[in-house]
Amino acid sequence: MTGGYLILERPNAGIVLSTNARFYAIVKPLREDIEPDSWAWAWTDVKLTSPQLSRETMYKMSLKNLMLQCVSSSESRNPFVEQAVQYTIAAARATLDKNNNDFLHTKLLQGLDITILGCNDFYSYRNYIEARGLPLTPDVLAALPPFTPITFNAEESNGENCKPEVAKTGLGSSAAMTTSVVAALLHYFGVVNLSSLNKDQHQEKDCVDLDLVHVIAQSAHCIAQGKVGSGFDVSSAVYGSQRYVRFSPEVLSSAQVAVKGLPIQEVIHDILKGNWDHERTKFSLPPLMTLLLGEPGAGGSSTPSMVGAVKKWQKSDPEKSLETWRKLSAANSALETQFKILSKLAEENWDAYKCVINSCSIHRSEKWMERATGPDQEAVVNALLAARDAMLRIRSNMRQMGEAAGIPIEPNSQTRLLDATMDMEGVLLAGVPGAGGFDAIFAVTLGDSSSNITKAWTSLNVLAMLVREDPHGVSLETGDPRAQQITSAISSVHIE
């Protein structure tokens, strides 16, 4: 929500809201029985199934160096899952004692059958809806079957064929997928126990099991994408909503060397003992506020190329860029402060807080102060207006940065849309998430105003998504999510 671009450099913080869009990894043995001669095996089998992509990929895994070798068509390979499997098994071997390592070896000899499912929310069905002449409403999205097959964008708008690519909504699908596979396997091998994890433990400072999931998922994700990003997406998949400050990239320097041929078993010790100096603090939206996400459907933007353009601008104009970043950082902190104040006011005087939120939910922001009666209610309105002001300053500085770097961080089409949204009754603020661009917009609404906003978005050609904030991270599910008809349920795991 805040911290786009700045989050790449310590000690800048970003506010990250996790949602109820979930990735599931289901792990079970390929074979119930172990063959009598299996003690002499040098390889075991790994099967990866992605039902939504109609893909099944078979691998051979070396029990000596833990490297996967794909024996299916290379088109169906998934580097994020491959690295997740390799790093998780190496971590399991490095952390388990002799007895438990025998258990791990037995589990590996049985082979691994991994199924991956992503909620519909991660993928864009906008083209699908428009092609069928259906209205752009959340109801139409809700009518799609859970884990609907994913279509590929095999054709560009100019009619030329290009590499097939899944249309995504920008909710960090690769981070959620990687995290769910790592967590599922670590639990399956008995390295961590996620069944005792209660909902509040995600936000606690010390949870050894989650910390291990986090370190392995970050490592696998960075190696799979070929660069060390800020890591906020993996951190939110593990721990949920938070205020995040990135880890020092040097902690993964040996893992990057490993790509060039160093054995993964040697690297894993450096990763596990490394100085992971990221910071996360508990954060969630104040009460009676709703996070809304919308898909404008105006093309897409590539985050790495936009980040590259900003870095180039920083080098070419260090003075101006430093000043813009300082202003952005101050505005980000101001928004965070107002959210904290609002949560505190709700705690101290619930009736006054609730009364103001309900009243403001049916009025535009310029009318909010005149609805307040007494100092307690005025304090709530002051914090709401200060939060709005901070968001407007964030947007203004992000636009300036985009113009200076020559990239569309908040393009004109998004500016018009966001201004119209912030002008609606009951809207606290609106913006472009993450690195910006054309992918998505978000709004934070008050009370029961969200249904009116989604209707207004439909008239502005924006598809309101079904996702909502869910401050919790990784969790262990009971039962296959497909059997439970879950439509929106970042990284849940299910073990058989």
Side-chain angles (χ1 to χ4, degrees), residues 57-76:
T57 313
M58 288 300 300
Y59 296 92
K60 290 284 182 190
M61 176 176 238
S62 162
L63 293 171
K64 186 183 175 190
N65 65 16
L66 306 180
M67 298 308 282
L68 286 170
Q69 203 169 314
C70 182
V71 291
S72 303
S73 98
S74 59
E75 277 179 20
S76 63

Side-chain angles (χ1 to χ4, degrees), residues 7 11 30 63 92 149 151 170 175 192 262 319 349 476:
I7 207 169
L30 262 179
L63 293 171
T151 52
V192 301
L262 198 69
E319 204 175 314
N349 192 333
L476 188 69

Side-chain angles (χ1 to χ4, degrees), residues 41 69 143 160 202 210 282 307 459 465 494:
W41 289 1
Q69 203 169 314
E160 286 179 27
H202 292 98
L210 283 183
K282 186 175 177 177
V307 169
S459 68
M465 292 158 63
H494 160 63

Side-chain angles (χ1 to χ4, degrees), residues 421-435:
T421 302
M422 282 187 76
D423 209 27
M424 293 175 194
E425 291 163 349
V427 174
L428 176 62
L429 48 87
V432 284

Side-chain angles (χ1 to χ4, degrees), residues 23 78 80-81 84 122-123 168 170-181 217 220-221 224-225 233-234 237 490-491:
F23 249 92
N78 184 325
F80 293 97
V81 176
F122 285 102
Y123 305 106
K168 295 180 186 172
L171 287 177
S173 55
S174 63
M177 174 171 62
T178 305
T179 303
S180 66
V181 173
H221 191 254
Q225 65 180 1
D233 44 4
V234 171
I490 271 180
S491 312

Side-chain angles (χ1 to χ4, degrees), residues 28 55 128 137 151 162 181 198 216 262 349 379 461 478 482:
K28 53 189 178 184
R55 279 182 183 170
Y128 173 93
T137 63
T151 52
C162 61
V181 173
N198 67 47
I216 302 305
L262 198 69
N349 192 333
N461 200 31
T478 53
R482 288 167 293 189

Side-chain angles (χ1 to χ4, degrees), residues 360-371 381 384-385 388-389 392 421-429 446:
C360 293
S361 72
I362 53 171
H363 292 97
R364 286 161 59 175
S365 60
E366 59 266 30
K367 299 271 187 198
W368 290 355
M369 191 49 93
E370 61 193 57
R371 315 299 307 170
V381 175
L384 291 172
L385 293 173
R388 272 180 77 86
D389 178 63
L392 289 169
T421 302
M422 282 187 76
D423 209 27
M424 293 175 194
E425 291 163 349
V427 174
L428 176 62
L429 48 87
L446 305 176

Side-chain angles (χ1 to χ4, degrees), residues 228-380:
V228 181
S230 72
F232 81 88
D233 44 4
V234 171
S235 189
S236 63
V238 177
Y239 301 108
S241 297
Q242 62 194 276
R243 176 191 187 270
Y244 176 79
V245 177
R246 71 158 305 151
F247 55 87
S248 300
E250 298 76 38
V251 76
L252 282 173
S253 52
S254 63
Q256 289 172 291
V257 174
V259 180
K260 302 180 180 81
L262 198 69
I264 199 166
Q265 293 98 312
E266 288 181 33
V267 176
I268 205 73
H269 289 284
D270 288 346
I271 287 169
L272 294 172
K273 290 186 169 60
N275 177 24
W276 289 86
D277 54 0
H278 56 285
E279 297 166 29
R280 59 179 179 87
T281 320
K282 186 175 177 177
F283 182 86
S284 59
L285 285 177
L288 306 180
M289 293 189 189
T290 303
L291 172 71
L292 286 185
L293 284 166
E295 201 188 335
S301 40
S302 168
T303 301
S305 59
M306 287 174 70
V307 169
V310 168
K311 285 184 170 170
K312 197 172 161 188
W313 163 65
Q314 283 178 287
K315 278 190 186 133
S316 67
D317 192 349
E319 204 175 314
K320 181 79 173 77
S321 63
L322 202 64
E323 188 197 346
T324 304
W325 276 43
R326 190 186 52 73
K327 287 180 184 169
L328 254 175
S329 182
N332 288 341
S333 298
L335 181 58
E336 190 187 326
T337 301
Q338 295 310 321
F339 275 139
K340 279 185 189 158
I341 289 170
L342 285 159
S343 293
K344 195 162 179 284
L345 290 169
E347 223 173 274
E348 289 170 355
N349 192 333
W350 174 250
D351 291 340
Y353 177 87
K354 186 182 173 187
C355 182
V356 169
I357 298 293
N358 289 338
S359 170
C360 293
S361 72
I362 53 171
H363 292 97
R364 286 161 59 175
S365 60
E366 59 266 30
K367 299 271 187 198
W368 290 355
M369 191 49 93
E370 61 193 57
R371 315 299 307 170
T373 54
D376 287 346
Q377 291 193 13
E378 281 172 15
V380 178

